[in-house]
Amino acid sequence: MLCTPFVLLFSLWFGSNAVNMQRIKSMFYHAYNSYLDNAFPYDELRPLTCDGQDTWGSFSLTLIDALDTLLVLGNRTEFQRVASLLQDTVDFDIDVNASVFETNIRVVGGLLSAHLLAGRAGMELEPGWPCSGPLLRMAEDAARKLLPAFQTPTGMPYGTVNLLHGVSPTETPVTCTAGVGTFILEFAMLSRLTGDPTFENAARRALRALWKTRSDIGLVGNHIDILSKKWVAQDAGIGAGVDSYFEYLVKGAIMLQDEELLNMFQAYDQAIQNYTRFDDWYLWVQMHKGTVSMPVFQSLEAFWPGLQSLLGNLDSAVRTFQNYYSVWRQFGGLPEFYSIPQGYTVDKREGYPLRPELIESAMYLFRATGDHTYLQLGFDALESIERIAKTPCGYASVKDLRDHQLDNRMESFFLAETIKYLYLLFDPTHFLHGGGTEGDGSWEEGGDGGQCVLGAGGFIFNTEAHPLDPAALYCCSRHAQDHQELRDILLSLSQPDGRSKPPAKQTEDPPPNPSDSIALKPGEKRTPPLLSCPVQPFNARLSIFGQVFTDNT
């Protein structure tokens, strides 16, 4: 009898979650079906005029961005249909100027995620999956179109590239910090799956070049000239133009077990805490002097508490989240800019384009603490979006949170991120959280002969909320390289003189042909290159709450 109140409370909580999850599904399908009915094959839906527009590249962006959300919500049939549709309709060989940053996080990330989830979605898999597959080849094709942007003296990429002709001779060399440092997750995964190191090498070269430009007090600015390495905008903070750079150092360290990336972030974090943090807000400061330049909170900064939770910095994360949540409660959303001294919106920055960052942090913090405050934020967000942003043709960005004027745009990240994080917040047993039991399809075999296990948990979300399975890193190149080394050793021992041949002289890889496809075609076998035994000195541990702690924590 003593357990009855607990059982009753749990039943009420779980039932409430189930209701919210169903409401979120309804929200998704209202937006998704409105896009299909009124906007496809354009990039985005215009929800006030019930039509579509191309925004980031003219490749049905919303459909690519929403593909893995379909599976997150359990719709395997529609996932299969859309995956086939995209293969038939999307072409990256087009004369379009595309954002290198946005194409990477939305298109390359979305296709990679869908490729890694294809088995769970019940799609027919090619032999050797995840080392081959049509969605992987699409992701590689899209990423290869971005590589010309990285062909600079510094290794830092241009912000825009023409998908057909490469970088324009008149292209500006000035780009934002995040536009240089937000590639390692997608490019490393792509390199490990295809066996082509070009992508990961490009991302790492850009990261190292950016690292060398930090100021004497350890900060980076907002916009940099990638040719001269001079900072054009010297405001340092954690928000727009910088945010995902820090995010990818942490998540890259976790996914790749990479101590170099972790050390970079820890050095930045020390400077950030020293110079930009005031009363658990994070201000903008001059990168060389540390003096306050903009005492504002930007909505894009709301990812920070979630990122801090991944490193176990829960006390700080909780206090900062409460500051941000107080702004949400004031307006029913997060304005793009919020003046901390005045406690109000900043002129011409009053909008809320249905961004996910505060909901994302709530998801991480609820996983880490179990505090129902974060579920309340999810409920508030669900209510606000339904009440303020819903239209007959989808959900519209809020132009002004003060009077709830709407803008005629529904960003693709609303389906890719906002709805996905909302749903995952209310579903603690979801497979992306490591939920499920053996025998229910939670685990999948991958690679030739099923030598690796996928889907066991530990998914890493890219900055567009596309989940990447770290286990896939070891299905292709690493296992193939290890097996090749073993074969070489055995062959050398079988030679009459018992001696192995000296290793071939190492030379630089020839520049790749942009038209070549590295991903395996159906039925193809790859001959893996020789590589010395992998060494992983950096170790991380995942706690039951999903936090990541380094050895010296």
Side-chain angles (χ1 to χ4, degrees), residues 380-411:
D380 290 349
L382 184 56
E383 288 287 314
S384 291
I385 294 171
E386 282 285 350
R387 186 177 70 255
I388 299 172
K390 189 173 185 178
T391 75
C393 289
Y395 293 84
S397 297
V398 182
K399 186 175 182 179
D400 192 328
L401 278 169
R402 297 171 302 176
D403 56 13
H404 298 166
Q405 290 183 57
L406 299 180
D407 200 5
N408 194 19
R409 187 174 185 185
M410 187 179 80
E411 289 257 19

Side-chain angles (χ1 to χ4, degrees), residues 77-134:
T77 302
E78 183 66 1
F79 180 101
Q80 294 173 21
R81 186 189 76 83
V82 172
S84 298
L85 178 65
L86 290 173
Q87 295 170 47
D88 294 336
T89 59
V90 174
D91 180 12
F92 299 116
D93 196 26
I94 52 177
D95 187 6
V96 167
N97 293 324
S99 164
V100 180
F101 170 85
E102 297 290 353
T103 304
N104 176 59
I105 66 171
R106 303 192 196 207
V107 178
V108 179
L111 291 170
L112 278 174
S113 174
H115 165 70
L116 293 173
L117 295 172
R120 182 179 295 274
M123 294 188 67
E124 184 177 350
L125 303 177
E126 291 182 3
W129 174 89
C131 312
S132 66

Side-chain angles (χ1 to χ4, degrees), residues 297-303 323-329 331-338 345 349-359 401:
F297 158 60
Q298 297 179 355
S299 62
L300 285 169
E301 297 171 15
F303 82 101
N323 283 342
Y324 298 168
Y325 190 12
S326 70
V327 178
W328 181 287
R329 289 194 296 263
F331 296 99
L334 289 185
E336 293 286 69
F337 281 33
Y338 176 85
T345 60
R349 293 292 187 272
E350 305 92 349
Y352 170 56
L354 310 183
R355 292 197 186 278
E357 282 76 16
L358 191 63
I359 302 165
L401 278 169

Side-chain angles (χ1 to χ4, degrees), residues 61-227:
L61 184 62
T62 293
L63 210 54
I64 295 175
D65 236 358
L67 181 53
D68 57 17
T69 308
L70 286 166
L71 186 63
V72 169
L73 300 182
N75 194 336
R76 294 165 47 141
T77 302
E78 183 66 1
F79 180 101
Q80 294 173 21
R81 186 189 76 83
V82 172
S84 298
L85 178 65
L86 290 173
Q87 295 170 47
D88 294 336
T89 59
V90 174
D91 180 12
F92 299 116
D93 196 26
I94 52 177
D95 187 6
V96 167
N97 293 324
S99 164
V100 180
F101 170 85
E102 297 290 353
T103 304
N104 176 59
I105 66 171
R106 303 192 196 207
V107 178
V108 179
L111 291 170
L112 278 174
S113 174
H115 165 70
L116 293 173
L117 295 172
R120 182 179 295 274
M123 294 188 67
E124 184 177 350
L125 303 177
E126 291 182 3
W129 174 89
C131 312
S132 66
L135 295 175
L136 175 60
R137 288 190 286 275
M138 288 182 69
E140 184 194 7
D141 187 20
R144 202 167 290 284
K145 294 291 186 180
L146 306 181
L147 287 179
F150 290 81
Q151 296 171 3
T152 65
T154 63
M156 293 188 284
Y158 284 96
T160 302
V161 67
N162 185 281
L163 299 182
L164 190 62
H165 303 296
V167 177
S168 168
T170 60
E171 179 61 32
T172 175
V174 177
T175 191
C176 67
T177 308
V180 175
T182 309
F183 296 91
I184 191 63
L185 292 183
E186 298 84 1
F187 276 29
M189 180 64 75
L190 193 55
S191 282
R192 306 297 178 91
L193 293 178
T194 63
D196 180 2
T198 305
F199 303 102
E200 183 172 352
N201 289 345
R204 286 188 181 276
R205 186 177 177 223
L207 281 175
R208 288 166 181 156
L210 188 56
W211 168 251
K212 293 177 182 178
T213 67
R214 65 196 186 284
S215 70
D216 291 340
I217 61 173
L219 296 172
V220 288
N222 198 276
H223 280 73
I224 190 170
D225 186 314
I226 61 159
L227 300 182

Side-chain angles (χ1 to χ4, degrees), residues 256-525:
L256 301 171
Q257 299 288 280
D258 192 304
E259 189 172 13
E260 178 187 14
L261 301 181
L262 182 64
N263 288 339
M264 286 180 180
F265 176 79
Q266 288 177 331
Y268 280 131
D269 191 39
Q270 183 175 352
I272 288 167
Q273 301 301 325
N274 286 342
Y275 293 101
T276 75
R277 181 180 172 186
F278 295 89
D279 293 333
D280 298 306
W281 296 94
Y282 291 85
L283 312 184
W284 289 84
V285 303
Q286 211 283 337
M287 65 176 289
H288 296 289
K289 301 176 182 178
T291 53
V292 175
S293 59
M294 290 191 297
V296 299
F297 158 60
Q298 297 179 355
S299 62
L300 285 169
E301 297 171 15
F303 82 101
W304 188 257
L307 191 70
Q308 290 284 300
S309 76
L310 288 178
L311 294 166
N313 301 329
L314 283 179
D315 290 342
S316 172
V318 166
R319 291 193 299 271
T320 298
F321 181 91
Q322 289 298 338
N323 283 342
Y324 298 168
Y325 190 12
S326 70
V327 178
W328 181 287
R329 289 194 296 263
Q330 184 177 351
F331 296 99
L334 289 185
E336 293 286 69
F337 281 33
Y338 176 85
S339 171
I340 296 169
Q342 296 177 356
Y344 207 63
T345 60
V346 174
D347 187 40
K348 298 182 180 178
R349 293 292 187 272
E350 305 92 349
Y352 170 56
L354 310 183
R355 292 197 186 278
E357 282 76 16
L358 191 63
I359 302 165
E360 173 188 359
S361 283
M363 183 198 74
Y364 282 116
L365 287 169
F366 180 64
R367 295 286 298 166
T369 68
D371 188 337
H372 284 213
T373 298
Y374 306 108
L375 294 181
Q376 183 62 48
L377 176 277
F379 180 76
D380 290 349
L382 184 56
E383 288 287 314
S384 291
I385 294 171
E386 282 285 350
R387 186 177 70 255
I388 299 172
K390 189 173 185 178
T391 75
C393 289
Y395 293 84
S397 297
V398 182
K399 186 175 182 179
D400 192 328
L401 278 169
R402 297 171 302 176
D403 56 13
H404 298 166
Q405 290 183 57
L406 299 180
D407 200 5
N408 194 19
R409 187 174 185 185
M410 187 179 80
E411 289 257 19
S412 69
F413 60 65
F414 177 64
L415 295 178
E417 299 185 76
T418 307
I419 288 179
K420 185 182 295 157
Y421 282 133
L422 260 179
Y423 190 83
L424 292 173
L425 171 61
F426 287 109
D427 187 1
T429 63
H430 198 278
F431 75 85
L432 289 176
H433 293 317
T437 57
E438 186 175 359
D440 69 353
S442 295
W443 297 354
E444 303 157 287
E445 291 184 348
D448 289 329
Q451 76 268 31
C452 64
V453 175
L454 290 91
F459 289 88
I460 302 294
F461 292 93
N462 86 337
T463 198
E464 191 76 3
H466 295 305
L468 302 174
D469 189 345
L473 296 168
Y474 308 99
C475 286
C476 306
S477 58
R478 172 142 309 172
H479 280 276
Q481 290 156 1
D482 290 347
H483 294 164
Q484 179 69 44
E485 285 192 352
L486 180 59
R487 286 194 294 269
D488 291 340
I489 293 171
L490 293 175
L491 284 173
S492 70
L493 292 175
S494 68
Q495 292 180 4
D497 59 2
R499 292 177 298 177
S500 63
K501 295 181 180 180
K505 183 178 180 181
Q506 295 297 310
T507 60
E508 290 189 4
D509 294 331
N513 184 339
S515 65
D516 289 344
S517 178
I518 304 300
L520 292 178
K521 303 297 188 297
E524 267 191 306
K525 295 286 185 179

